[in-house]
Amino acid sequence: ENGIDAWLRYAALPCDVQKAASIPAGIVALNGSETSPVFTAGQELHKGILGIHHKDLVVTNTPTNGSSITIGTVDAFTSTGGALPEIDLKGDGFWLSIKNDSVQIVGQNERGALYGTFQYLSMLAQGNFTEVAYESNPSAPIRWVNQWDNMDDTGTHGSIERGYAGPSIFFADGLIVEDLTRVSQYARLMASIGLNGIIVNNVNANVNLLNSTNMAGLGRIADAMRPWGVRMGISLNFDSPRTLGKLTTADPLDEGVIQWWGDIATDLHDHVPDFAGVLVKANSESQPGPLTYNRTLADGANLFARAIKPHGDAIVMFRAFVYDNKINQTNWKADRANAAVDFFRDLDGKFDDNVVVQIKYGPIDFQVREPVSPLFGHLEQTGSVIELQVTQEYLGQQCHLVYLPPLWKTILNFDMKVDNKPSLVRDIVSGERFNQKLAGYAAVVNVGTNTTWLGNHLAMSNFYAYGRLAWEPTSDDVSILEDWTRLTFGSDRAIIDTITKMSMESWPAHENYTGNLGIQSLTDITGPHYGPKPQSQDGNGWGQWTRADANSIGMDRTVWNGTGYSGQYSSEVAAMYEDVETTPDDLLLWFHHVPYTQKLKSGKTVIQHFYDAHYDGAAVAQTFPKQWEAVKGLIDTERYDEVAFRLEYQAGHALVWRDAINDFYFNMSSIKDEQDRVGNHPWRIEAEDMELDGYTVIQVDPFETASGFH
Ligand code: BDP
């Protein structure tokens, strides 16, 4: 068990369960060609039933009245004599009916039929033989993955920005790899959770992706993913007309530039007739963009929108992650959090109808706790796509267990109260609240060639849950996790209970030991985003600031006295955040600059809460290795050991986090911990007290991770 099949292992059910189940006698896959997702569905079902039930069913494309599983589109099903009840299927939706030994899986389109098949297989694999008859529709039309894979130069092996599981499955040596086996395996995983599109290269895009060899390679990637209903798109570099096309400008209103992008779109369409669209990061973190030419961001987005318009229904996903990373932080009012609304508020209504705006869930950058990005409340005439991160860039980089759906659901369930009407984020990104045809979800996933895909078996629950929540954001995060666990590790109660308990404790614990009360993850912000480095937060251009000094901490983002950020929300939400009293404790330091001695709703002071929370969080992580022991012998040794290793590491690293952060703020504030733990580590053996033989002394960075620095 090396993780390669993730939750699609189709492990055999126990013999008695197999015997009790009534499995139909054959499979009928109604839509023909070998690249059709319906054909794929037939093959997958055959494979699944062979694994789960040891039954080798015949797959045909001829309808039968006998005992069978019939898969097809509504059209194929009804035109071959099938009868359906009154149903209302939306794009990619399906109808699933299981009755005795007759199963009908009918998709609104071919992709929907494949999704229904995976749903049926998921039931079979979990030993669930309930008779059902229901329709299921995705919450939103856009359900994508973003890979941040680099098209590196020749001689390198496909690095991935913020990827923690080895090199790219797509690129090596500046080219698209020859063997695309992993790519189709990836598409299979995506399809099984209802994901329908992928951007294969990094948002910091390399223009070489557009050269003729690579265009052909993109065609091969799309071919590998198409049978799974996954459409491929790419990230574009705004400056390509200059750097690749040798034009003198990349001005979006320049005729030559418009022509150049038009030709690229035609070329792309020739190689990938069903391409999903393009993702654009512009005027952000030194990337070029339309503002360089005194054009608006909408001019930039529409340039691409018009280039691709003649070629089907592809879209432009334009990122709202636009900010100035050279922002002057000595200016007390400067606030990176303001950027997205400042840049986009006046552009609503100015984007073409095949443009959507991709918005990170919070205004900064995938932090352990952020308020919802206020931009979700400002785009009424443009579709919004929420950007989530499965790759744990700021959250332990897959070396720490952090189950993310509770964080995501906090965001998706937040009510923006636009115009005093209920405006849940999940209803905005479904397109419902503002009547948008195009809207949805994108997650940075960054799988790599490691057989575990993400570098850690347990991290895969986040990927699985991402697809499930994009399909149905009201799904319960615990039952998603239980499904994933049964499919990945088996149905033993001890396995399910152990993984559920650890996973559900993991996000709060991580928040507690890395940065609580809304101060964000106090990590190394200018470098790898890994490990504690509170002193790196302030005094840099990236704008994730604590503004801490000897007496007080937190960022004043109020309108009356701060950066004005809270005023970007609707009046009711703004009023809540404007006032210290009504701001929830978990975002207190996000919105307010307060003395360390400020009392929280719990009655504790800010600094004592800080100390206690870091101890509590680290204490929870300490229990993980022990909790995991409960599954020893119940799962295979390979995965048991690999997970145990990571959990042991996390337990240790949580202590490093706890002490580094607590010591830092103790030194800054000189306020003692009521329990006298902080700055006092009698059990430690200080490096300077040891005799070193054959080692070289190095400066420890961040210095708080060395205990004796003061
Ligand atoms: C940040 C990452 C950086 C990305 C950037 C983005 O640190 O690597 O390029 O976001 O989303 O989170 O563009």
Side-chain angles (χ1 to χ4, degrees):
E1 293 276 6
N2 61 9
I4 194 83
D5 283 321
W7 53 85
L8 299 177
R9 292 157 58 248
Y10 302 137
L13 288 173
C15 289
D16 52 331
V17 183
Q18 279 187 28
K19 278 204 193 99
S22 83
I23 296 297
I27 300 168
V28 182
L30 288 174
N31 302 58
S33 94
E34 291 204 0
T35 56
S36 149
V38 178
F39 180 84
T40 310
Q43 301 303 306
E44 186 71 15
L45 200 50
H46 173 262
K47 178 178 176 175
I49 291 177
L50 191 59
I52 300 163
H53 284 282
H54 293 154
K55 286 212 165 84
D56 189 1
L57 302 192
V58 174
V59 189
T60 69
N61 55 11
T62 331
T64 154
N65 288 328
S67 157
S68 67
I69 305 158
T70 306
I71 313 163
T73 59
V74 172
D75 289 349
F77 188 73
T78 48
S79 67
T80 51
L84 286 173
E86 191 78 5
I87 49 174
D88 181 20
L89 291 186
K90 305 206 168 58
D92 293 351
F94 63 83
W95 160 258
L96 175 63
S97 159
I98 306 173
K99 199 167 180 10
N100 301 323
D101 59 355
S102 163
V103 177
Q104 299 167 351
I105 307 172
V106 186
Q108 182 267 352
N109 53 16
E110 298 199 347
R111 205 181 283 122
L114 178 59
Y115 297 155
T117 304
F118 273 117
Q119 174 55 29
Y120 175 54
L121 272 167
S122 168
M123 291 175 68
L124 289 183
Q126 294 182 63
N128 176 354
F129 305 108
T130 326
E131 296 201 337
V132 297
Y134 66 90
E135 63 189 81
S136 179
N137 288 309
S139 75
I142 299 170
R143 304 177 308 281
W144 287 11
V145 153
N146 292 174
Q147 283 288 132
W148 283 356
D149 295 34
N150 290 318
M151 163 68 40
D152 293 327
D153 297 332
T154 319
T156 52
H157 290 289
S159 61
I160 304 179
E161 184 153 339
R162 317 300 178 187
Y164 313 109
S168 172
I169 61 171
F170 297 98
F171 309 126
D173 289 326
L175 296 168
I176 282 120
V177 295
E178 280 307 313
D179 181 355
L180 293 174
T181 312
R182 286 297 295 269
V183 170
S184 49
Q185 286 173 342
Y186 189 26
R188 172 175 175 250
L189 292 183
M190 287 177 62
S192 74
I193 46 176
L195 300 175
N196 59 4
I198 182 168
I199 298 291
V200 289
N201 62 315
N202 193 355
V203 284
N204 300 312
N206 186 329
V207 294
N208 291 332
L209 186 63
L210 301 178
N211 71 32
S212 57
T213 320
N214 285 332
M215 279 280 188
L218 288 174
R220 290 192 292 112
I221 293 179
D223 292 347
M225 299 191 119
R226 190 171 296 111
W228 301 98
V230 176
R231 293 173 65 181
M232 192 213 65
I234 55 174
S235 296
L236 296 180
N237 183 305
F238 199 84
D239 246 0
S240 310
R242 285 194 326 112
T243 44
L244 187 66
K246 306 291 176 224
L247 303 187
T248 53
T249 178
D251 180 350
L253 301 191
D254 179 271
E255 280 308 319
V257 170
I258 294 171
Q259 178 68 45
W260 193 86
W261 280 116
D263 293 346
I264 291 287
T266 307
D267 206 9
L268 194 53
H269 181 252
D270 288 347
H271 289 99
V272 187
D274 56 351
F275 79 94
V278 295
L279 179 63
V280 184
K281 170 175 179 178
N283 290 116
S284 166
E285 301 182 335
S286 308
Q287 289 295 328
L291 301 179
T292 319
Y293 301 93
N294 288 326
R295 309 297 186 195
T296 68
L297 293 167
D299 290 333
N302 294 341
L303 165 72
F304 303 112
R306 289 166 200 174
I308 62 176
K309 187 78 176 176
H311 308 295
D313 59 353
I315 60 166
V316 175
M317 196 177 275
F318 199 80
R319 299 182 87 216
F321 189 64
V322 176
Y323 78 102
D324 177 8
N325 65 323
K326 311 268 182 334
I327 194 168
N328 175 8
Q329 81 104 40
T330 54
N331 169 6
W332 194 249
K333 299 263 175 197
D335 187 359
R336 168 179 169 184
N338 287 340
V341 170
D342 283 352
F343 277 112
F344 282 83
R345 176 174 21 210
D346 296 333
L347 297 177
D348 194 27
K350 304 227 162 77
F351 293 101
D352 284 6
D353 63 1
N354 54 345
V355 176
V356 290
V357 175
Q358 186 193 55
I359 308 171
K360 290 190 182 183
Y361 61 79
I364 295 282
D365 199 14
F366 305 129
Q367 297 299 291
V368 71
R369 172 85 61 179
E370 290 189 59
V372 168
S373 169
L375 187 57
F376 288 109
H378 288 271
L379 300 180
E380 303 195 11
Q381 298 175 59
T382 313
S384 296
V385 167
I386 190 167
E387 186 179 356
L388 305 172
Q389 233 189 9
V390 166
T391 192
Q392 295 168 228
E393 176 181 350
Y394 291 92
L395 304 179
Q397 306 188 351
Q398 277 97 283
C399 296
H400 291 219
L401 165 66
V402 185
Y403 181 56
L404 295 166
L407 184 169
W408 296 336
K409 290 196 69 158
T410 307
I411 301 286
L412 292 168
N413 291 339
F414 186 80
D415 189 349
M416 308 291 290
K417 301 188 180 160
V418 181
D419 300 329
N420 295 315
K421 294 203 188 100
S423 312
L424 303 188
V425 173
R426 63 170 197 252
D427 295 332
I428 294 173
V429 300
S430 72
E432 211 174 291
R433 172 66 180 85
F434 298 123
N435 267 323
Q436 294 298 335
K437 220 165 70 211
L438 293 174
Y441 292 76
V444 184
V445 178
N446 292 356
V447 303
T449 46
N450 188 290
T451 61
T452 62
W453 295 97
L454 287 172
N456 181 347
H457 299 286
L458 293 190
M460 290 295 274
S461 61
N462 288 324
F463 183 22
Y464 177 82
Y466 165 62
R468 290 277 306 267
L469 286 172
W471 188 274
E472 182 43 73
T474 60
S475 308
D476 174 50
D477 38 16
V478 171
S479 48
I480 293 176
L481 184 63
E482 289 185 350
D483 287 349
W484 173 79
T485 305
R486 273 190 289 266
L487 296 168
T488 306
F489 290 111
S491 296
D492 194 292
R493 202 62 243 174
I495 302 177
I496 294 167
D497 289 347
T498 302
I499 292 181
T500 304
K501 183 160 180 295
M502 288 196 310
S503 302
M504 294 308 288
E505 288 172 350
S506 62
W507 173 50
H510 197 83
E511 180 179 23
N512 277 338
Y513 64 74
T514 62
N516 48 72
L517 298 178
I519 200 70
Q520 313 172 90
S521 179
L522 292 165
T523 190
D524 185 341
I525 210 66
T526 50
H529 301 174
Y530 189 74
K533 195 170 183 182
Q535 72 273 36
S536 73
Q537 302 293 312
D538 294 83
N540 67 72
W542 304 92
Q544 276 141 286
W545 307 314
T546 66
R547 302 226 160 127
D549 58 26
N551 305 308
S552 46
I553 184 167
M555 185 110 176
D556 187 341
R557 291 188 158 106
T558 59
V559 174
W560 78 275
N561 192 37
T563 70
Y565 168 82
S566 62
Q568 295 190 337
Y569 292 94
S570 64
S571 49
E572 212 176 319
V573 175
M576 170 178 74
Y577 289 142
E578 189 70 10
D579 186 348
V580 178
E581 293 306 315
T582 50
T583 301
D585 280 349
D586 56 20
L587 284 171
L588 181 72
L589 302 181
W590 177 280
F591 284 100
H592 300 281
H593 186 78
V594 297
Y596 291 110
T597 49
Q598 169 93 15
K599 286 264 168 62
L600 298 172
K601 300 190 176 52
S602 62
K604 277 188 195 177
T605 61
V606 163
I607 192 73
Q608 191 57 42
H609 177 95
F610 233 64
Y611 294 153
D612 290 348
H614 281 87
Y615 271 89
D616 291 348
V620 172
Q622 300 300 295
T623 68
F624 288 168
K626 188 92 203 122
Q627 291 194 50
W628 185 243
E629 279 174 20
V631 309
K632 193 168 190 164
L634 300 177
I635 70 170
D636 53 289
T637 332
E638 189 175 0
R639 290 185 300 169
Y640 177 82
D641 287 346
E642 283 170 11
V643 171
F645 178 82
R646 296 262 164 164
L647 294 174
E648 192 74 43
Y649 170 83
Q650 179 177 8
H653 201 216
L655 295 183
V656 174
W657 265 102
R658 178 194 74 189
D659 293 347
I661 305 289
N662 278 347
D663 285 7
F664 182 84
Y665 286 102
F666 172 51
N667 282 307
M668 193 174 269
S669 68
S670 308
I671 300 175
K672 272 180 81 89
D673 167 30
E674 283 166 5
Q675 296 188 46
D676 202 20
R677 298 159 298 187
V678 178
N680 178 15
H681 312 295
W683 42 268
R684 278 197 186 181
I685 303 168
E686 302 297 340
E688 50 273 36
D689 296 338
M690 298 169 83
E691 271 189 26
L692 301 182
D693 227 2
Y695 293 91
T696 312
V697 177
I698 56 156
Q699 186 70 32
V700 176
D701 181 27
F703 56 82
E704 283 79 15
T705 53
S707 55
F709 79 99
H710 57 283

